[in-house]
Amino acid sequence: DAEHGAAARRLRFFFGICVAAMILLTAAANALLFLFAWEVMAFMGFLMITTSDQDSAVREGGWTYFVATHVGTLCLFAGFSLLAQATGSFDLGPLPLGFARTPSGQAAFLLLLAGFGLKAGIGPLHVWLPVAHASAPSHVSALLSGLMLKMGVLGLLRLTAWTPDPPLWWGGLLTALGAASGILALAFALAQRDLKRMLAYSSIENIGIIFLGLGLALAGKARGNGALVALGGAGALLHLLNHAIFKPLLFMGAGSVMHATGTRDMERLGGLAKAMPRTALLFLAGSAAICGLPPLNGFAGEWLIYLGSFRALGPGGWLWGIVPLVALAAIGALAVACFTRAFGVIFLGEPRTELGAHAHESPEPMIGAMSVLAGLCVAIGLAPLALLPALDRAVAVLGTTVHLSSVASLGSLTLVAVIGLLAAGVAWDAIRKTPFRRAGTWDCGYLAPTARIQYTGASFAQMLTDSFRWVLLPEERKPRIQGLFPKGTVFRRRTPDVLLDRGVKPATDFTAWALSWLRILQSGHLPIYLLYVVLTLVALFAWTLA
């Protein structure tokens, strides 16, 4: 309440309505009811994102989301209309055999992919996501990333279940989108200094992993490979659940950092682990989970997609296996680099500014909420077998009779997680019991080391971001050093979103400028408007007589 003032009460109301709309979405069996709940959810999201509407950046982020989500809604209207034309009803259910291979069926798939993909934030339909997450309050960002994005994935899962004979290229398209989104989103995440924008790009990466699983499931369904449907579908569903747990944990961790320091600029932080040890530990747990490291839950979903990819490496299907394998390996490495950078820059070392130096631990309710989510990350990582019955029922809906237990040994996954937990415990115990001998630090000529000597987030990630310079297209202001005794200068680098800042915004600005010339038609004189009516009637009569 203190953070949002008079808007806090309205925010709680919008939050509750949004959650109710998402619950209705999961139960909707009619396209009209589905679209009604979808629109309520979208509008409540806009109102929550623009809570701090006195800030122009927040208003811009909110309107970007508002336009994007309504473009997606228009695509859904068109897609559902094509489905209703094929089935003769707006009831949601199985599609006729052969419809998916007709021009109408393929158009419906592309329209629904655009509508659901915009909501899910898959690249290149992610343009609203970074600015919306950066603008929204932290717990709203947790809801957006943890649940609202999943409504788009839910729509694609239901479309997969309804289609008895999808073309093979459907799975290929989802796999390509997932691979490109996962890798490139992490490249953009590594270039961010805004903590919440970094987490937003990481959400795009995780949606990409889910799309890899969906692509495998659709390819398996097209080829009649039930094992591939089971592994790909279960991997996508399990990673969807896992992301709904560890990403809110990370956004709440970001909110805890902002509550303690008043900033989300990672370059102005540092050394927070000393003042905020519990927040640091919980953020570390979320970071390990999102990197897919055992014994936490992120490992389980990715492991199933890995198994599905290996299963696809058969005669005539090597492409469907090699692309997810390479993408997952690259995503895993980049994710470790990204969150090592984030945790190190924020929590380790010495404070870089007074904001970090005067940080304090967050109150118990904030720590308690994060602790519950961290506990779920550990519980699912150690006991994925508990989810096996639910996963089997879910993948059966996707159109396979193969039981997950017959193609994937989740018991071995539990063993790996337990071994990882024991190894971490042994290492911690050894470190704790090791006697330390204090000695003077070799200072390399620095008698009074300062935080300026530490790695910054930009310097830590420079090698990786330079490798992706061709897509990041950073804006740099390089210092000019002249003379023997140059004056102090500053190096600045900004990495805007290529699609939004270099594509969508210039296009919309040009369109607005072009349309502004139509204002001359609005003269304000009644005779001119009557002339418009007469000319319109004449044109209609001429058209009917032609």
Side-chain angles (χ1 to χ4, degrees):
D1 288 1
E3 182 181 354
H4 306 296
R9 188 172 300 173
R10 297 199 309 271
L11 178 60
R12 287 196 295 270
F13 175 75
F14 300 148
F15 199 98
I17 297 297
C18 185
V19 171
M22 286 189 284
I23 293 172
L24 183 58
L25 267 177
T26 62
N30 180 276
L32 299 179
L33 179 60
F34 186 96
L35 289 169
F36 169 76
W38 185 274
E39 185 63 13
V40 172
M41 173 190 69
F43 188 56
M44 291 301 108
F46 167 73
L47 295 175
M48 291 190 294
I49 289 168
T50 54
T51 298
S52 303
D53 56 359
Q54 69 276 5
D55 187 343
S56 60
V58 171
R59 294 196 299 271
E60 181 179 353
W63 282 111
T64 302
Y65 161 82
F66 193 75
V67 172
T69 193
H70 280 84
V71 169
T73 302
L74 290 175
C75 292
L76 293 184
F77 268 102
F80 281 129
S81 297
L82 291 174
L83 297 187
Q85 187 178 24
T87 61
S89 169
F90 278 101
D91 291 339
L92 300 177
L95 298 173
L97 195 66
F99 171 71
R101 301 177 184 274
T102 64
S104 295
Q106 297 180 25
F109 169 73
L110 292 175
L111 286 167
L112 293 175
L113 175 60
F116 291 132
L118 272 165
K119 181 62 67 181
I122 190 69
L125 305 175
H126 67 278
V127 291
W128 64 271
L129 204 150
V131 291
H133 278 305
S135 303
S138 296
H139 60 298
V140 173
S141 297
L143 178 71
L144 292 177
S145 185
L147 292 179
M148 190 181 287
L149 299 187
K150 308 307 184 300
M151 296 300 107
V153 179
L154 169 69
L156 289 173
L157 281 166
R158 297 180 78 173
L159 180 61
T160 303
W162 298 332
T163 309
D165 55 342
L168 192 57
W169 69 267
W170 287 18
L173 179 57
L174 293 190
T175 301
L177 288 174
S181 294
I183 295 172
L184 297 180
L186 280 174
F188 277 97
L190 281 163
Q192 305 303 312
R193 58 185 292 167
D194 184 318
L195 175 57
K196 291 183 68 177
R197 282 183 71 95
M198 185 213 78
L199 292 176
Y201 279 109
S202 171
S203 292
I204 301 169
E205 168 251 324
N206 280 273
I207 294 297
I209 293 176
I210 295 171
F211 267 58
L212 288 175
L214 280 176
L216 284 173
L218 272 172
K221 198 167 185 179
R223 298 172 62 191
N225 189 334
L228 201 56
V229 177
L231 289 169
L237 286 164
L238 186 53
H239 197 77
L240 183 150
L241 172 64
N242 291 334
H243 185 254
I245 295 172
F246 56 63
K247 184 48 69 70
L249 168 59
L250 289 168
F251 270 115
M252 289 180 185
S256 180
V257 170
M258 292 172 60
H259 174 79
T261 64
T263 184
R264 58 177 189 251
D265 186 348
M266 292 189 287
E267 305 292 10
R268 301 178 68 189
L269 300 171
L272 296 188
K274 298 175 183 177
M276 308 175 68
R278 291 185 292 176
T279 296
L281 180 62
L282 293 168
F283 193 92
L284 178 62
S287 299
I290 202 171
C291 291
L293 300 177
L296 299 171
N297 60 339
F299 175 65
E302 293 188 29
W303 182 77
L304 290 175
I305 299 175
Y306 267 116
L307 286 181
S309 302
F310 280 115
R311 172 100 32 181
L313 290 173
W318 64 271
L319 185 62
W320 307 105
I322 200 68
V323 171
L325 283 174
V326 172
L328 283 173
I331 288 170
L334 290 172
V336 170
C338 181
F339 282 91
T340 299
R341 165 184 178 263
F343 184 82
V345 170
I346 296 170
F347 293 103
L348 303 182
E350 297 296 326
R352 292 177 175 79
T353 64
E354 290 298 313
L355 294 175
H358 295 97
H360 56 83
E361 188 59 276
S362 296
E364 291 298 329
M366 297 176 70
I367 297 298
M370 289 190 288
S371 299
V372 171
L373 293 174
L376 289 173
C377 289
V378 176
I380 294 176
L382 291 175
L385 282 171
L387 299 174
L388 185 59
L391 287 174
D392 268 335
R393 290 194 298 272
V395 296
V397 174
L398 297 180
T400 179
T401 58
V402 176
H403 289 286
L404 194 59
S405 57
S406 65
V407 291
S409 175
L410 294 184
S412 63
L413 178 59
T414 302
L415 179 61
V416 171
V418 171
I419 291 173
L421 183 64
L422 292 175
V426 170
W428 171 251
D429 187 65
I431 293 172
R432 187 171 57 85
K433 293 181 178 178
T434 300
F436 291 97
R437 182 170 59 87
R438 295 185 177 276
T441 304
W442 181 46
D443 56 23
C444 304
Y446 294 98
L447 296 179
T450 67
R452 296 181 62 188
I453 303 172
Q454 297 175 171
Y455 269 105
T456 63
S459 60
F460 182 90
Q462 181 179 358
M463 182 180 70
L464 290 171
T465 53
D466 284 349
S467 301
F468 288 96
R469 179 181 288 269
W470 57 275
V471 67
L472 296 178
L473 302 178
E475 299 173 354
E476 295 181 347
R477 178 185 173 186
K478 297 182 178 179
R480 298 182 62 185
I481 301 176
Q482 297 177 340
L484 295 176
F485 302 97
K487 296 180 180 180
T489 186
V490 176
F491 170 79
R492 288 191 176 92
R493 172 183 286 184
R494 176 178 172 268
T495 307
D497 188 281
V498 175
L499 287 172
L500 177 63
D501 297 307
R502 300 183 187 274
V504 175
K505 281 186 177 179
T508 53
D509 290 343
F510 176 78
T511 303
W513 172 82
L515 293 177
S516 67
W517 288 95
L518 296 177
R519 293 175 184 170
I520 60 175
L521 300 176
Q522 296 290 101
S523 63
H525 299 291
L526 182 61
I528 298 296
Y529 296 146
L530 293 175
L531 177 62
Y532 293 159
V533 174
V534 172
L535 292 176
T536 302
L537 290 174
V538 170
L540 289 173
F541 277 121
W543 180 68
T544 54
L545 294 175

